[in-house]
Amino acid sequence: MTETNRSFQDTLSLNVNGKDYSVSVKRYDTLSRVLREELGLTGVKRGCDYGGCGACTVSIDGKAIYSCMYPVQHATEKRILTVEGLAQEKLVGLEALSEIQRSFLENGGLQCGYCTAGIMMSTKCLLDENLSPDLVQVQEALAGNICRCTGYGRIIESVFAAAKQIREKSQSK
Ligand code: FES
Ligand code: FES
């Protein structure tokens, strides 16, 4: 008898934001569905759901990936980071925000905010590799993230401000 996607269930281990989870998935599940609906990580936005907008961007082993196009079965034994994982767990309120989150807030890097989590995850992947990017490198890193509110100037300023804050923090240690 052929198994349908509806009847197929599997249990996978996922490492998300530094924690291990055991999740029940269907054969063709995407990572974005599992993150949102099984783990409640709704900072992972669903925009187009076909790889065209970047709202669902997460970091997988340090690379910015569209989670709506990523089969969850491929995500085991990888380090997945969502926007929820950017904040510092032991702090609360504005104190908990990472430099990237704080920079977007302080520099007006968001309007409606729908694209923001995905853009911050692309920023995170960029700055983890290159803390002094030039304009072209920032534009290339964000090329897969569409902002319908079109505030790209402020978004790019926010990325540079975040890089500066992170550099200053690492120099003060
Ligand atoms: S929701 Fe994944 S790219 Fe648009
Ligand atoms: S801030 Fe509205 S879509 Fe980007």
Side-chain angles (χ1 to χ4, degrees):
M1 191 172 74
T2 311
E3 270 178 332
T4 63
N5 189 41
R6 180 178 271 196
S7 64
F8 178 88
Q9 291 279 339
D10 196 5
T11 302
L12 295 183
S13 299
L14 293 180
N15 182 279
V16 186
N17 300 332
K19 293 182 189 154
D20 291 320
Y21 295 92
S22 179
V23 287
S24 176
V25 302
K26 299 185 179 70
R27 189 190 305 275
Y28 300 117
D29 259 341
T30 61
L31 179 58
S32 66
R33 192 205 75 77
V34 172
L35 291 172
R36 287 177 54 86
E37 297 176 22
E38 303 298 326
L39 301 184
L41 297 169
T42 53
V44 180
K45 295 301 177 211
R46 182 175 289 143
C48 62
D49 227 13
Y50 66 82
C53 75
C56 64
T57 303
V58 299
S59 166
I60 300 181
D61 286 347
K63 302 287 176 212
I65 301 286
Y66 290 163
S67 60
C68 72
M69 300 289 286
Y70 199 87
V72 72
Q73 308 267 357
H74 293 185
T76 57
E77 298 180 15
K78 296 196 163 67
R79 287 173 301 110
I80 301 159
L81 186 72
T82 73
V83 72
E84 289 88 348
L86 290 183
Q88 300 178 61
E89 246 190 9
K90 293 187 179 136
L91 301 175
V92 290
L94 294 179
E95 288 295 305
L97 297 181
S98 66
E99 289 82 4
I100 292 173
Q101 292 168 307
R102 195 170 315 116
S103 298
F104 273 74
L105 191 60
E106 291 172 353
N107 292 279
L110 63 151
Q111 294 172 70
C112 80
Y114 205 82
C115 68
T116 310
I119 289 180
M120 288 197 293
M121 296 317 296
S122 292
T123 301
K124 167 77 175 155
C125 293
L126 169 69
L127 299 185
D128 280 352
E129 283 195 350
N130 178 6
L131 253 191
S132 301
D134 61 25
L135 178 59
V136 171
Q137 288 168 326
V138 173
Q139 288 171 331
E140 283 176 352
L142 301 187
N145 295 88
I146 307 298
C147 175
R148 291 178 184 82
C149 301
T150 70
Y152 292 106
R154 293 288 183 92
I155 289 169
I156 287 171
E157 278 175 34
S158 303
V159 176
F160 283 122
K164 184 163 178 274
Q165 282 192 31
I166 297 169
R167 285 196 306 270
E168 286 172 355
K169 186 176 171 189
S170 65
Q171 284 161 6
S172 69
K173 281 182 183 167

